[in-house]
Amino acid sequence: MKELFSQLNPPRRILMGPGPSNVHPRVLKAMATPLVGHLDPEFLKIMDETQDLLRRLFKTENQFTIPVSGTGSSGMETCLSNLIEEGEEAVVCINGVFGTRMADIVERNRGKLTRVENEWGRAVPLEKVEEALKGKKIKLVAIVHAETSTGVLQPLEEISRLVHEQGALLVVDTVTSLGGCSVEVDKWEIDACYSGTQKCLSAPPGLSPLSFSERALKSLEQRKTKVPTWYLDMSMVKKYWGKERAYHHTAPISMIYALREALGLIFEEGLENRFARHHLNHRALAAGLEALGLEFLPPQEERLSMLNAVRIPRGVDDTAVRSKLLSQFSIEIGGGLGEFKGKAWRIGLMGESSTRANVLLFLTALEQILAEEGLSPAKGGAAEAASAVYRE
Ligand SMILES: *Cc1c(COP(=O)(O)O)cnc(C)c1O
């Protein structure tokens, strides 16, 4: 039993899966700074700074923009359980695992669910949403901006127009997109959206940045029944983050330090620079993967830059490749989810993990491992194809 008392010593990994991503030392250091009380005047300042930075990141003036205590799924649960009451109609767009999760949450809240099902690996077309909205009194439409299970980017502007024409609320999952590509809450008129700290924000998992529009807040005020979950009832949590500073639950202080520091790093880099970095590293990785003969799930114009989903070549052992990447190169990538289990790899280039060095090391490692697995693409071709993109 002696080992239980020895110091914890997890390995250093290159995190290139669907999250968590690597964390900057400044963020880890922020977490090791002294604890203060959750109502300490100095902590209240840090809360205000965090909210200001989150508004800048979400590109919103929404007063109610806070980090919910919990991972990305807690933000999902917050939006849906605060905005849907028993018997109200919700449309959920499903083209991957996270749309499926949203539908499950609507049902648990006894909403009347309409599913807009679409092929996995493709964006949801406008017409399908239009069809689902016809002749119904819909309370909200929920959709995933960056579907991490398939690597698909969902265009939102036209869908938003449609949703608001019908007087419904638009709920958007920006867990994987926020901090890696443009998310425009006010311009796209998103009523409620949520994210997660461990993807493109490059902080540990544990908080879910969330923003509610005035329309969403009004809908929350006008509920006939209490929000079924006490912990995630934003009408109460709002009073802690707002002027009242009323105790609801103890804020996860060190996680809020981490988020505040991660947001500082984002604005130090600059949003546009950050998005361009994600895009460039994606293009280089894609060139390398294609040189190895790997095919992306989504067509080029629908691909995410922070998550690259490719089909596993026929005859190649999924688990063997991923465990070699981990044991020999300390690189983590993700396997497929849902209908792509065993059929796809998900290679993340999120936040701090999106670097040229990671792209080149990963391609070299994968090429070597695929050769050992009996696939023999041109030697050195992958890293060379990626380097050509960087030289452009
Ligand atoms: C990761 C993810 C979630 C869930 O977040 P957790 O932090 O795992 O709870 C939800 N939606 C999308 C699109 C995600 O990528």
Side-chain angles (χ1 to χ4, degrees), residues 190-324:
I190 297 171
D191 292 298
C193 73
Y194 57 91
S195 189
T197 38
Q198 78 274 26
K199 310 227 174 167
C200 292
L201 306 190
S202 272
L207 290 174
S208 177
L210 169 128
S211 188
F212 273 12
S213 71
E214 287 304 318
R215 259 195 302 252
L217 286 176
K218 201 157 162 215
S219 149
L220 176 58
E221 266 168 35
Q222 292 172 342
R223 284 182 68 103
K224 294 189 260 338
T225 57
K226 279 186 180 181
V227 174
T229 134
W230 180 88
Y231 196 74
L232 300 176
D233 181 344
M234 291 299 115
S235 63
M236 295 194 291
V237 172
K238 198 155 93 47
K239 298 193 177 121
Y240 173 57
W241 286 90
K243 286 191 198 68
E244 299 95 324
R245 309 290 188 182
Y247 165 69
H248 178 259
H249 65 270
T250 311
I253 318 255
S254 306
M255 267 311 299
I256 290 168
Y257 292 171
L259 174 60
R260 149 73 177 71
E261 199 66 5
L263 292 168
L265 282 161
I266 288 174
F267 288 103
E268 199 174 280
E269 179 178 13
L271 280 187
E272 293 311 315
N273 292 340
R274 191 176 181 89
F275 301 159
R277 168 167 64 84
H278 280 81
H279 188 62
L280 174 64
N281 288 322
H282 156 71
R283 286 206 302 124
L285 179 75
L289 291 170
E290 277 156 7
L292 291 174
L294 297 179
E295 270 172 44
F296 274 78
L297 299 182
Q300 191 158 9
E301 65 283 2
E302 292 179 359
R303 287 177 200 162
L304 293 173
S305 55
M306 62 291 284
L307 191 106
N308 300 270
V310 292
R311 281 179 207 284
I312 298 172
R314 213 184 284 275
V316 170
D317 182 346
D318 171 25
T319 328
V321 172
R322 284 192 289 128
S323 56
K324 277 186 180 175

Side-chain angles (χ1 to χ4, degrees), residues 12-23:
R12 279 176 192 274
R13 300 291 194 208
I14 297 170
L15 297 173
M16 294 179 70
S21 57
N22 286 115
V23 175

Side-chain angles (χ1 to χ4, degrees), residues 15-312:
L15 297 173
M16 294 179 70
S21 57
N22 286 115
V23 175
H24 193 285
R26 247 174 74 179
V27 173
L28 294 175
K29 221 163 125 187
M31 296 181 83
T33 56
L35 271 192
V36 294
H38 63 105
L39 291 170
D40 186 305
E42 290 302 316
F43 186 66
L44 300 183
K45 280 191 215 157
I46 294 169
M47 287 168 66
D48 288 345
E49 287 166 14
T50 306
Q51 285 180 285
D52 281 343
L53 290 166
L54 281 178
R55 284 187 203 103
R56 285 177 61 183
L57 184 61
F58 276 124
K59 302 239 176 102
T60 184
E61 306 273 310
N62 286 344
Q63 186 55 33
F64 190 60
T65 303
I66 65 151
V68 172
S69 306
T71 64
S73 306
S74 75
M76 185 188 289
E77 193 132 32
T78 298
C79 289
L80 297 169
S81 66
N82 279 252
L83 300 178
I84 277 287
E85 280 186 86
E86 182 167 0
E88 287 181 334
E89 301 248 12
V91 169
V92 177
C93 300
I94 304 174
N95 59 345
V97 166
F98 295 103
T100 311
R101 188 173 295 180
M102 285 175 139
D104 186 0
I105 296 177
V106 166
E107 287 184 324
R108 283 164 193 259
N109 283 282
R110 305 181 197 289
K112 272 171 80 182
L113 173 67
T114 302
R115 290 184 169 82
V116 175
E117 302 267 3
N118 198 57
E119 185 189 334
W120 286 35
R122 295 302 309 268
V124 178
L126 190 64
E127 302 75 59
K128 280 201 176 174
V129 183
E130 197 164 18
E131 190 60 33
L133 287 170
K134 245 183 220 156
K136 287 209 194 95
K137 195 173 171 296
I138 304 288
K139 175 70 183 291
L140 68 79
V141 175
I143 194 160
V144 178
H145 187 212
E147 188 37 270
T148 324
S149 63
T150 58
V152 168
L153 178 68
Q154 177 68 48
L156 293 171
E157 276 182 281
E158 290 187 319
I159 288 180
S160 171
R161 189 155 10 90
L162 204 71
V163 169
H164 292 114
E165 274 167 18
Q166 304 285 322
L169 298 171
L170 178 64
V171 175
V172 179
D173 177 318
T174 61
V175 175
T176 282
S177 50
L178 192 71
C181 68
S182 187
V183 173
E184 304 255 3
V185 168
D186 286 358
K187 190 168 159 215
W188 300 342
E189 295 185 66
I190 297 171
D191 292 298
C193 73
Y194 57 91
S195 189
T197 38
Q198 78 274 26
K199 310 227 174 167
C200 292
L201 306 190
S202 272
L207 290 174
S208 177
L210 169 128
S211 188
F212 273 12
S213 71
E214 287 304 318
R215 259 195 302 252
L217 286 176
K218 201 157 162 215
S219 149
L220 176 58
E221 266 168 35
Q222 292 172 342
R223 284 182 68 103
K224 294 189 260 338
T225 57
K226 279 186 180 181
V227 174
T229 134
W230 180 88
Y231 196 74
L232 300 176
D233 181 344
M234 291 299 115
S235 63
M236 295 194 291
V237 172
K238 198 155 93 47
K239 298 193 177 121
Y240 173 57
W241 286 90
K243 286 191 198 68
E244 299 95 324
R245 309 290 188 182
Y247 165 69
H248 178 259
H249 65 270
T250 311
I253 318 255
S254 306
M255 267 311 299
I256 290 168
Y257 292 171
L259 174 60
R260 149 73 177 71
E261 199 66 5
L263 292 168
L265 282 161
I266 288 174
F267 288 103
E268 199 174 280
E269 179 178 13
L271 280 187
E272 293 311 315
N273 292 340
R274 191 176 181 89
F275 301 159
R277 168 167 64 84
H278 280 81
H279 188 62
L280 174 64
N281 288 322
H282 156 71
R283 286 206 302 124
L285 179 75
L289 291 170
E290 277 156 7
L292 291 174
L294 297 179
E295 270 172 44
F296 274 78
L297 299 182
Q300 191 158 9
E301 65 283 2
E302 292 179 359
R303 287 177 200 162
L304 293 173
S305 55
M306 62 291 284
L307 191 106
N308 300 270
V310 292
R311 281 179 207 284
I312 298 172

Side-chain angles (χ1 to χ4, degrees), residues 330-363:
S330 218
I331 295 174
E332 176 183 274
I333 65 164
L337 281 186
E339 59 183 67
F340 289 115
K341 195 168 168 26
K343 296 187 183 138
W345 287 320
R346 294 181 301 145
I347 304 144
L349 289 173
M350 297 179 175
E352 290 293 314
S353 296
S354 176
T355 67
R356 183 197 292 224
N358 283 352
V359 167
L360 296 175
L361 174 66
F362 168 73
L363 288 170

